[in-house]
Each structure stands twice: as structure tokens, then as C-alpha cells.
Amino acid sequence: MLDQGAPPHNGSPAAPQSPGVGGRLMRRKPVERLVAEGGQGEGGSLRRSLGLWQLTMISIGATLGTGIFVVLGEAVPKAGPAVTLSFVIAGLTALFSALSYAELAGTIPVSGSSYSYAYATMGELVAWVCGWCLMLEYGVSVAAVAVGWGEYLNELLDGTIGVTIPAALSAPPGDGGVFNLPALIVVLLAMAFLMGGARESARANTIMVVVKIGALVLFCAIGAQGFRSGNYENFMPLGMAGVSAAGATLFFSYIGFDAASTAGEEAKNAQRDLPRAILLSLAIITALYVLVAAVAVGAKPWQRFTGSEAALAQIMREVTGQTFWGTLLAFCAVIAIASVVLTVLYGQTRILFAMARDGLVPKAFAKVSPKTGTPRTNTLIVSLFCGVLAAAIPLGQLADATSIGTLFAFALVNVAVVVLRRTRPEMPRAFRVPLSPVLPAVGFAFCVWMMGSLSTATWVVFGVWMAVGLVFYFLYGYRRSRLAAAPATSEAK
């Protein structure tokens, strides 16, 4: 082997060679450096205040409610009564990816979620692509859920005081309105909670999660009284293609465990608690989704779900013949969906925090308030963006765009867990995916299959989004990356 420390023949010291473009794009960030930088921001640090209970509640809060309270009305017309099977397929797809998330979250307990996992295993360009997908996943998801919140708010107002918000102010352009004011309001309310600190936000979220679980149990008890087996006679009217299309739309309802992984730098014992929170929350969520979907389709013919974004409240009213129960469920849904907005918005801000710390997005997103220990500027910018998006874009388009971003990011996580096993087999892991690399490969295949079930229009939106992201990276992130500017000794082996 050549002695790299020896001077050249002319006696002058060897100049360090800068990596080429390809080397910079593929440069990996060492796991040790990712962990060492955990919690550090511009002007302050995030506070470690979350335990297993709070992390699990963040997972459930970010997930439970989205698919049931909001998107069920979008998914049932695509699959018919077989929407229950769509939930199972989406849940299995999420499970395979959740196993990979659990291993990586326990090994690399940082805020960046799959962005950071990709940075440690597949290089900066792939990490950027993953992070850009997460922006689509989280930012658009907040907007999608906020749209549904407005529908349930109208149900609540109608059942209590007999008035509703005018369509011009409660629906976006394209859905008969001008501006969805309720959607903007719920995002701003979530922003106010997040500004107060992670612990305070977690407490508020826990209360809202308890309310939403109680509401869904109540729905099942009352909805079962209107159950008609005849509603299941033509179980799969639109074939397996309809089932998979509905599953792809519903998949964005399973991003809660990903939100838990974004709390890695605010968890008290991240390596132990993150894997447990991810898997426990997914089990609870899937069971409730399937149960509620089965009761809902049994109580209402699938053909009548079209255009219904507050389907559960309507079913309660139809089964009982009274407005009280539907109004009560609408009240619970208003609280439940607000918790989804809160926790998913939290996840978006923490991913941008990690990307800003790496220099790939402006430093403002990594600035931490010494008073609250939260990225307040980040939270303000993201909230305003998501609020305007929610007020202006219809729900169906938002849900599908979220699904494709989620599936792409999850596919990369399944690859990342295999790569890290091969490149760093000696690293301690609090949880290990069983039967690796088989199960990660199955998870990857499921993600690709469900992405293929999405519409051409969704793929066009995704392609445009990725093109914009790559332009931004090469104009900004490529030049300002802290890792690319670091000495060669910081490079991953």
C-alpha cells in the first residue's frame, strides 16, 4: 500500500483532492456524526422530554383519524365493500416498512427520519430526494387533513346552532368554493401549540388521541345497529384494481409511525422507545381502521359514499334517526383531526430542521428558540405554507399526492436497512427486522406496486415536484451542503 502521508518528489506537501461531482452526490454522512449532532440547532438545542407513551401517542395522533374521518368517503367508491381489504393491504405495506423504520430509528435516533437514514446509507443526492418526498408527504398531508376538518366543523355547527360556513369560505376552488377558511384556521391552531414546546404539544395531543379513540369505539357500537349484510353481497364490484387503487389512496393514513421517528432528538430514550412506539401504534391503528371501515360499509351502501368527507357522522345520524349522535361524533372528529394536523405538522418541521442543519435548506429552519426549545421560525413558515395549500387545493388531489411521496420514501427506507446491515454490521441495534433482507425486499415491492396503482395525474404531479426539488438542490443544497464542504476525514467509510 502506498504511504499517503509521504510528500511528493518535489518536496511540497500533497494537496487534498476534492471529490468530483459524483463523489459529492454519493457522499454519506457517518452515523456517529448524525447521532452526535442530535438536537443541535442554530442558537439552541431541542429538549429531550418525550417517553414511550408520548411517542406512541404522536404516532397514533398523526395517523388515526386521517383515513377514517376524512378519506373513507374518497376510498369506498374506488373499492366498494372491499375497502376493508384495502385497509388491510395498506396496513401490510405499512407494516413491512414499519419494521425497517423500527430498526433504523433505534440505530440512528435523529429527527430527519428516512431522510437521515438515506444520508447515512445511500448518499446525499438520494437523501435529498427522500427529504423532498417527505416534504410532499408531510406538508400535503397536513393540508389534506385540514380540508376534512372543515367538513366536520360544518357538521358540528349544523347540529348545534343550525348554521354552516358558506361554501365560498369552506371549500377550495374546484370544489365549489373560493377559500377554505376552516382548513387554514386548524393549521394555525396547531402552529400555536407547537410554538409552546414539544412537551406541551404532546400533552395536548394525548388528550385528543383519547377523544378520537373513544369516538371511533362509540361509532362502532352505534353503527353496528344499522349493519346490513346485503351491503356486502357484491364485495369487490370494481375488481382487484379498485382495491389496490383505494389502498394506495388510504396509504397516506399510515404515516403516523414516520412522525414518531421524527421525534428522535426529543425522546428521552430514543434507541429503546422509538421501535416500540412505531410497532405498537401501527398495530392499534390498523385494527381500528379495519373495524370502523367494516361497520361503516355494513351500515351504508357503498354507492352512497361518493362525495362524502364526513361519512361517519352522516352514518350515525342515519342509523339513529337523531342528530345528537352525529353531532357528537362530529365534535369528536373536529378534535381528532386537529391532532393529526398537530402531529404531522410537528414531523414536517423536524425533518426540515435536520435538512437545514446539514445545509441543504436555509439555516432559518434550524434556528431554535432558547425559551421553548423549538424551531419557531421553521414552524411559522411551514404552517403558513400548509395552511394556504389546505385552503386552495381539493382533498382528493392532496391525498393521492401525499400517498406517492410516502410510498417513495418508505421504499427507500426498506433499501436503507439492508445497506446499513451490509456496510455497518457491527453497530448495536435495539431492534432488528426479522428475515432480512427478505422482509425489506417485500416492503419495497409493496411500495412500488401501490405506487403503480395511482393515477397518471398523480405521477405527473410527482414528476414535476421531483424536478423542482432537483433544481433547488443543484442551485442551493449542492453548493451549501455542510458535509460536502467538510474535510475528507468526515466522509463515511
Side-chain angles (χ1 to χ4, degrees), residues 16 47 89 96 166 268 323:
R47 297 174 183 172
I89 292 173
F96 289 121
K268 295 177 182 177
T323 60

Short mmCIF file of all heavy atoms in Angstrom, two decimals, residues 16 47 89 96 166 268 323:
data_model
loop_
_atom_site.label_atom_id
_atom_site.label_comp_id
_atom_site.label_asym_id
_atom_site.label_seq_id
_atom_site.Cartn_x
_atom_site.Cartn_y
_atom_site.Cartn_z
N PRO A 16 -4.84 18.15 -0.77
CA PRO A 16 -6.00 17.28 -0.69
C PRO A 16 -6.85 17.38 -1.95
O PRO A 16 -7.05 18.48 -2.47
CB PRO A 16 -6.77 17.81 0.53
CG PRO A 16 -6.30 19.23 0.69
CD PRO A 16 -4.90 19.26 0.20
N ARG A 47 -35.15 19.87 23.18
CA ARG A 47 -35.17 19.31 24.53
C ARG A 47 -35.69 17.88 24.51
O ARG A 47 -36.71 17.58 23.89
CB ARG A 47 -36.07 20.17 25.44
CG ARG A 47 -35.54 21.59 25.61
CD ARG A 47 -36.52 22.45 26.39
NE ARG A 47 -36.03 23.82 26.50
CZ ARG A 47 -36.74 24.84 27.00
NH1 ARG A 47 -37.98 24.61 27.41
NH2 ARG A 47 -36.21 26.04 27.07
N ILE A 89 -54.44 -4.26 3.07
CA ILE A 89 -53.29 -4.21 2.16
C ILE A 89 -52.40 -3.01 2.49
O ILE A 89 -51.18 -3.12 2.56
CB ILE A 89 -53.77 -4.16 0.70
CG1 ILE A 89 -54.41 -5.49 0.31
CG2 ILE A 89 -52.61 -3.83 -0.24
CD1 ILE A 89 -55.06 -5.48 -1.06
N PHE A 96 -44.46 -3.75 6.75
CA PHE A 96 -43.12 -4.11 6.27
C PHE A 96 -42.18 -2.91 6.36
O PHE A 96 -41.03 -3.04 6.77
CB PHE A 96 -43.19 -4.62 4.83
CG PHE A 96 -43.84 -5.97 4.69
CD1 PHE A 96 -44.98 -6.14 3.92
CD2 PHE A 96 -43.31 -7.07 5.35
CE1 PHE A 96 -45.57 -7.39 3.80
CE2 PHE A 96 -43.91 -8.32 5.24
CZ PHE A 96 -45.04 -8.48 4.46
N PRO A 166 -70.50 29.29 4.88
CA PRO A 166 -70.85 29.32 3.44
C PRO A 166 -69.84 28.56 2.60
O PRO A 166 -68.65 28.52 2.91
CB PRO A 166 -70.84 30.82 3.12
CG PRO A 166 -71.07 31.50 4.43
CD PRO A 166 -70.41 30.63 5.46
N LYS A 268 -36.53 10.79 25.31
CA LYS A 268 -35.63 10.57 26.45
C LYS A 268 -34.71 9.38 26.20
O LYS A 268 -33.52 9.41 26.51
CB LYS A 268 -36.46 10.33 27.72
CG LYS A 268 -37.29 11.53 28.17
CD LYS A 268 -38.13 11.16 29.38
CE LYS A 268 -39.00 12.33 29.83
NZ LYS A 268 -39.87 11.96 30.98
N THR A 323 -80.13 13.64 15.36
CA THR A 323 -78.96 14.45 15.03
C THR A 323 -77.91 14.44 16.15
O THR A 323 -76.75 14.77 15.90
CB THR A 323 -79.39 15.91 14.77
OG1 THR A 323 -80.01 16.44 15.95
CG2 THR A 323 -80.36 15.98 13.59
#
